[in-house]
Amino acid sequence: MPGLEQALAEIAAEMAQRTDRGDVAGYIPQLSKIDPMKFGMAAVTNEGQVILAGDADQPFSIQSVSKVFTLTLALGKVGDGLWRRVGREPSGNPFNSIIQLEHENGIPRNPFINAGAIVVSDVLLAGHQPREAIGEILRFIRSLADDDTIIIDREVAASERATGYRNFAAAHYMKSFDNIHHAPELALGVYFHHCAIAMSCRQLAMAGRFLANAGRSPASGHTVVSAERARRIAALMLTCGHYDGSGDFAFRVGIPAKSGVGGGILAIVPGVASLAVWSPGLNANGNSKLGSIALEKLARAMNWSVFAP
Ligand code: GLN
C-alpha cells in the first residue's frame, strides 16, 4: 500500500526518541518488570501485505485486547442473549471501577470493562471446565492469527490472580445479582488466563484481520462472524475500547481500537487493514501512551478515519 511502509518506519523511529513514555502497569507485579523502551508496530492489509516496525515480533501480555476475541466467541455461543447480561454503553469510568455495578444491578456497562469481560468469561465457561474454556479461547486466537506458537504466560496469570482484588470484588458482587452463573473463582480463572495471552504485534494484527474484512479472513475467505457482527464489535471498540479515554481516542485517532494494560492496542481500519502497536508505558486512563500517539500519527499520515470516506 503506497506510503504505509514509510509511515510505519518514520513513526517507529520518532517513538524511539521520546522520553515521555508513560508508566508501565504497576499493579500486576509481572507486568511492572517490562522495559518501557520497547516499541513495536504491525499493519496487515486486507490485500495480505504485512508491514512491521520496531519490536513487532516480540510477544507481550495482550491483557484487555483479548476481550475482543472473548466477546466474539461469546456472541457466537449465545448471540444477542449476551446483551441481557452486559450493556453496550461507554462507562466513563476506569476499567476496574465497580461503582456503576451497584446502581445498575450488577449489569456491567459494556463487555470491555473488567466486570463486563468477567461476565463474558462466565458465558464461555458454560458446559466446560475452566481449562477447556481457556483452551477454546487460545485455539480461537491461534486460528485467527494462523499461528500455533501463541501461548498463555502462566506467570502473568498467577501474578494477576494473586493481586486481582478488584476483579474478585466485581465478580463476587455480580454473583450476588445472579449475573455470574459459576463460582466467581472459576470465571476469574478464565478471565485471568485470557488476559495473560502473550502475542506480538504481528500476531495481534493478523488475529484482527476478520474485523477489517467484514467478518471474514481475507486470506482463506473463511467466515468468522457475519458482516453485521463485525461492524457491531468494531462499534463497541470505538465507543468502549479505551475505557474512560474512548472519546478522546475516537477524537484523535478516529478508528475502532482496543487497548490493554500490557501496552498493546489492536486497531481496525474497516475494509483496509488491521493494525497493532505496543509500547508498555500507559497514560492516566491505562492506555498505551505512545501507542495512541503512534496510531494518531499513522491514521493522519494515511488519511484513515471511520468518519471520512
Ligand atoms: N487483566 C487486567 C485487569 O483485570 C486487564 C485490564 C486492562 O488491560 N485494562 O486488571
Side-chain angles (χ1 to χ4, degrees), residues 54-80:
D55 303 306
D57 272 319
Q58 181 170 336
F60 58 89
S61 191
I62 67 167
Q63 291 296 317
S64 288
V65 183
S66 59
K67 296 171 183 172
V68 173
F69 306 115
T70 53
L71 170 66
T72 305
L73 268 181
L75 286 170
K77 276 197 178 239
V78 297
D80 285 341

Side-chain angles (χ1 to χ4, degrees), residues 27-28 31 62-65 67 95-96 112 114 118 160 164 167 191-192 195-196 243 258-262 285-287:
Y27 74 101
I28 301 176
L31 293 186
I62 67 167
Q63 291 296 317
S64 288
V65 183
K67 296 171 183 172
F95 62 85
N96 55 6
F112 293 152
N114 289 4
I118 294 166
E160 206 182 332
N167 290 325
Y191 173 78
F192 292 140
C195 285
Y243 316 110
K258 180 75 204 83
S259 76
V261 288
N285 303 118
N287 301 312

Side-chain angles (χ1 to χ4, degrees), residues 32 93 104 113-114 117 152-153 172 193 234-235 241 258 260 267 282 288:
S32 66
N93 276 314
E104 296 174 4
I113 53 171
N114 289 4
I152 295 175
D153 186 328
H172 282 266
H193 281 82
K258 180 75 204 83
L282 308 178
S288 174

Side-chain angles (χ1 to χ4, degrees), residues 9-309:
E10 282 176 11
I11 292 166
E14 198 184 328
M15 293 302 125
Q17 304 298 320
R18 301 212 34 164
T19 49
D20 52 336
R21 307 183 78 86
D23 299 315
V24 173
Y27 74 101
I28 301 176
Q30 208 58 22
L31 293 186
S32 66
K33 301 178 186 162
I34 308 293
D35 176 5
M37 292 309 289
K38 296 285 179 190
F39 180 89
M41 213 168 180
V44 179
T45 67
N46 285 5
E47 289 142 18
Q49 208 183 352
V50 179
I51 301 169
L52 309 174
D55 303 306
D57 272 319
Q58 181 170 336
F60 58 89
S61 191
I62 67 167
Q63 291 296 317
S64 288
V65 183
S66 59
K67 296 171 183 172
V68 173
F69 306 115
T70 53
L71 170 66
T72 305
L73 268 181
L75 286 170
K77 276 197 178 239
V78 297
D80 285 341
L82 182 69
W83 306 121
R84 285 195 289 273
R85 295 178 59 188
V86 189
R88 302 190 294 258
E89 293 295 340
S91 69
N93 276 314
F95 62 85
N96 55 6
S97 170
I98 31 188
I99 203 159
Q100 262 164 354
L101 284 176
E102 179 159 18
H103 293 300
E104 296 174 4
N105 302 319
I107 309 285
R109 268 289 170 103
N110 67 66
F112 293 152
I113 53 171
N114 289 4
I118 294 166
V119 170
V120 168
S121 285
D122 189 61
V123 167
L124 295 180
L125 201 45
H128 292 296
Q129 295 299 318
R131 181 181 294 271
E132 295 164 347
I134 295 162
E136 184 182 9
I137 297 166
L138 185 60
R139 277 195 301 280
F140 180 56
I141 291 178
R142 284 175 170 177
S143 79
L144 291 174
D146 197 13
D147 191 330
D148 280 345
T149 66
I150 296 167
I151 53 157
I152 295 175
D153 186 328
R154 309 256 159 210
E155 286 183 15
V156 171
S159 178
E160 206 182 332
R161 188 192 278 283
T163 55
Y165 305 112
R166 280 179 187 243
N167 290 325
F168 276 93
H172 282 266
Y173 194 67
M174 292 189 291
K175 179 78 179 169
S176 77
F177 289 97
D178 287 330
N179 200 19
I180 294 290
H181 296 173
H182 303 84
E185 285 68 21
L186 300 185
L188 287 164
V190 174
Y191 173 78
F192 292 140
H193 281 82
H194 73 66
C195 285
I197 291 173
M199 291 169 83
S200 67
C201 288
R202 179 207 293 265
Q203 291 166 332
L204 202 51
M206 289 289 282
R209 290 174 300 173
F210 74 104
L211 290 171
N213 191 49
R216 290 196 298 165
S217 158
S220 65
H222 173 72
T223 298
V224 181
V225 293
S226 68
E228 180 182 61
R229 185 159 289 166
R231 273 202 298 275
R232 289 177 158 186
I233 294 168
L236 289 165
M237 291 168 77
L238 186 82
T239 53
C240 312
H242 280 70
Y243 316 110
D244 46 343
S246 298
D248 191 58
F249 189 89
F251 180 84
R252 283 168 43 202
V253 188
I255 57 175
K258 180 75 204 83
S259 76
V261 288
I265 304 176
L266 170 66
I268 300 302
V269 191
V272 179
S274 168
L275 314 170
V277 62
W278 173 50
S279 173
L282 308 178
N283 63 22
N285 303 118
N287 301 312
S288 174
K289 179 165 183 175
L290 295 194
S292 314
I293 294 172
L295 286 171
E296 181 177 6
K297 287 181 182 291
L298 183 62
R300 185 171 295 159
M302 300 303 294
N303 201 23
W304 283 336
S305 168
V306 291
F307 301 107

